[in-house]
Amino acid sequence: MADEPLGYALVGCGRFGRFCLNTYRTMENMRLVAAADADRALSKATAEEFNITPLGSLQDVLRRDDVHLVHIATPPSTHGPFTRQCLEAGKHVLCEKPLAISGAEADAIAQISRRTGRKVAVNFILRYSPIVGMVQRILREKILGEPLHACFENYAQDEVLPGSHWFWDKSLSGGIFIEHGVHFFDLYRQWLGPGTVRWATALTRPGTHQEDRVMCALEFGDALVTHYHGFDQPIRLDRQRHLILLERGDIVVNGWIPLEVQVHGVVDDTQRDALAAAVPQGVLRTVKEYPESEQRFRSHGREHYVTAEVFLDYAIRAPKMDIYGQLIGSLMQDFANSIRTNQRTLVSLEDAVEAVKMAEAAENLARQRGSNL
Ligand SMILES: NC(=O)c1ccc[n+]([C@@H]2O[C@H](COP(=O)([O-])OP(=O)(O)OC[C@H]3O[C@@H](n4cnc5c(N)ncnc54)[C@H](O)[C@@H]3O)[C@@H](O)[C@H]2O)c1
């Protein structure tokens, strides 16, 4: 197995599954074997494009001895049952987010994975973003002090989500917190440590059953955080922004696939060097050098020593979809290595379970709030 190519099958040849195939087709040590979809015409067209075998169902995939790894890219309500069936059949699973639409189901998957010794990865691609890693380093090394507040605003497009799309049917998608919010619950746990959802709400588009805007407030240690997701924008205005406020500055990240980071703060000489090392290709500008009389101050109940005010900017100059493809490839490479060598992946199964539980907590709070109105 160690040197044998990993036999891969896709279940769910929709928009995202086919996009992933484009990346996986070029990966060494990976052999695309089959593509299955309930829509036979779609699995046939996908199989022809990628020169693999078309299949109709998960069961057809599980019967194949040459498939070692199944990629589940069907709507969220199928993720739990499909992943469990794959594990019981001795296959490893790359599951699209969310791992499941309930915490109990996510826990059951983790249990089956431990019992069968088969691995599950969830496609939390954001974690492989270089900009996410830069922010993580600034936070971990406390270069700008402790985080106090963060806010994530997701103004997402809905042009590819007509009213009939499974996204709007909560029995299939789990709702926005579960279908989409999981990415960001997971990301903020990495950035800020364990978190708790304290408040949540949701709004339905007037005259429809489409819940298109959700919002929640969370505590991560001593940081107060809000997440907003709205799916009501044209594609050309689709935009996302993270703002993280710290004791001595702030970090702004732009893009759902992060493409830009801007850091502003006051630092001493060591911290200035640490910022430059955290964002090596960034442009670091010192806009003010403080005279000795202004280098010490007290704020947030603490003494601070700084020598300069700085701005740091970094932008990835490549098309978003190219970066998206790279993140998909990095995650798969990490997962394939872990199957071969038993090393840990950057995103653990426990992380994926925890993200579903946070999303479920937000969904439950929003629902309770709705029923009280
Ligand atoms: N990781 C990411 O960044 C990312 C990005 C986009 C979408 N996704 C996830 O990928 C999944 C698929 O999303 P999409 O946008 O491609 O949806 P989609 O509707 O375009 O594709 C889903 C496909 O699954 C097929 N399908 C449905 N039920 C099936 C069944 N029982 N057996 C076999 N096939 C079945 C459908 O026919 C369809 O072709 C979702 O879970 C979504 O959350 C992840």
Side-chain angles (χ1 to χ4, degrees):
M1 176 82 219
D3 296 326
E4 222 183 288
L6 210 52
Y8 162 100
L10 172 68
V11 178
C13 305
R15 290 174 65 86
F16 194 64
R18 290 200 313 277
F19 180 54
C20 292
L21 275 184
N22 260 320
T23 296
Y24 302 153
R25 80 197 309 179
T26 63
M27 286 176 64
E28 285 178 16
N29 296 329
M30 179 94 114
R31 189 161 40 82
L32 306 190
V33 174
D37 198 290
D39 176 344
R40 289 304 291 251
L42 188 56
S43 67
K44 190 162 173 284
T46 307
E48 271 167 19
E49 184 182 347
F50 293 92
N51 197 22
I52 51 181
T53 308
L55 298 172
S57 70
L58 174 68
Q59 296 314 318
D60 297 338
V61 169
L62 298 184
R63 277 192 283 271
R64 304 271 308 217
D65 291 337
D66 52 355
V67 171
H68 310 115
L69 163 58
V70 183
H71 179 189
I72 308 289
T74 45
S77 61
T78 60
H79 293 181
F82 280 14
T83 299
R84 289 158 56 165
Q85 288 174 58
C86 290
L87 293 172
E88 296 289 8
K91 312 292 187 194
H92 301 289
V93 183
L94 171 62
C95 182
E96 276 316 321
K97 53 79 191 170
L99 173 61
I101 58 171
S102 78
E105 197 170 29
D107 272 336
I109 290 169
Q111 240 174 41
I112 299 173
S113 170
R114 281 192 292 275
R115 172 166 57 75
T116 58
R118 297 293 131 177
K119 293 181 185 289
V120 182
V122 171
N123 222 357
F124 282 156
I125 53 157
L126 282 180
R127 290 262 231 109
Y128 292 79
S129 149
I131 287 181
V132 163
M134 292 167 193
V135 173
Q136 186 143 5
R137 183 163 166 183
I138 295 169
L139 293 168
R140 192 183 56 233
E141 295 181 12
K142 301 195 184 301
I143 301 173
L144 297 176
E146 298 290 340
L148 303 172
H149 164 63
C151 125
F152 173 57
E153 289 157 354
N154 178 10
Y155 306 137
Q157 63 87 16
D158 67 348
E159 281 192 53
V160 300
L161 298 172
S164 57
H165 196 283
W166 56 259
F167 180 87
W168 303 114
D169 180 343
K170 289 175 91 172
S171 69
L172 300 179
S173 70
I176 292 175
F177 284 125
I178 289 173
E179 200 279 337
H180 199 70
V182 283
H183 269 305
F184 303 94
F185 293 127
D186 176 64
L187 181 59
Y188 276 76
R189 277 184 74 237
Q190 296 317 303
W191 278 347
L192 302 176
T196 307
V197 185
R198 293 292 183 206
W199 174 91
T201 193
L203 282 181
T204 300
R205 187 174 297 185
T208 73
H209 295 292
Q210 293 169 243
E211 194 175 275
D212 64 356
R213 281 151 296 154
V214 302
M215 191 170 168
C216 65
L218 308 102
E219 285 171 29
F220 288 87
D222 194 38
L224 275 182
V225 174
T226 58
H227 286 183
Y228 170 83
H229 302 274
F231 285 76
D232 49 15
Q233 294 288 293
I235 290 175
R236 68 200 74 187
L237 288 179
D238 183 275
R239 60 208 185 277
Q240 292 75 24
R241 178 174 178 266
H242 303 263
L243 167 71
I244 303 172
L245 178 78
L246 301 111
E247 287 177 303
R248 283 182 290 96
D250 53 69
I251 307 170
V252 172
V253 174
N254 287 314
W256 127 245
I257 300 296
L259 294 180
E260 277 178 8
V261 58
Q262 294 146 5
V263 184
H264 171 220
V266 289
V267 290
D268 64 20
D269 296 354
T270 312
Q271 290 154 354
R272 182 163 40 186
D273 291 348
L275 270 187
V279 187
Q281 291 153 294
V283 177
L284 182 64
R285 286 176 294 129
T286 299
V287 293
K288 191 167 192 172
E289 301 272 6
Y290 293 110
E292 215 174 310
S293 59
E294 293 177 23
Q295 289 177 347
R296 292 189 187 277
F297 64 93
R298 190 173 172 80
S299 157
H300 191 229
R302 300 212 293 156
E303 299 295 334
H304 299 272
Y305 166 73
V306 298
T307 52
E309 179 181 2
V310 295
F311 284 87
L312 173 63
D313 295 285
Y314 172 62
I316 298 177
R317 302 277 172 227
K320 170 180 150 187
M321 296 317 273
D322 290 1
I323 304 300
Y324 206 158
Q326 283 171 21
L327 303 187
I328 286 169
S330 301
L331 187 143
M332 177 57 103
Q333 199 63 61
D334 190 21
F335 188 39
N337 287 344
S338 100
I339 291 172
R340 290 205 178 81
T341 64
N342 214 20
Q343 276 172 8
R344 288 177 65 85
T345 42
L346 186 62
V347 185
S348 69
L349 181 52
E350 292 69 35
D351 291 337
V353 172
E354 197 50 41
V356 171
K357 288 185 178 174
M358 290 179 78
E360 187 177 45
E363 174 62 25
N364 288 341
L365 283 169
R367 217 180 301 154
Q368 280 169 21
R369 198 180 146 73
S371 62
N372 289 341
L373 288 175

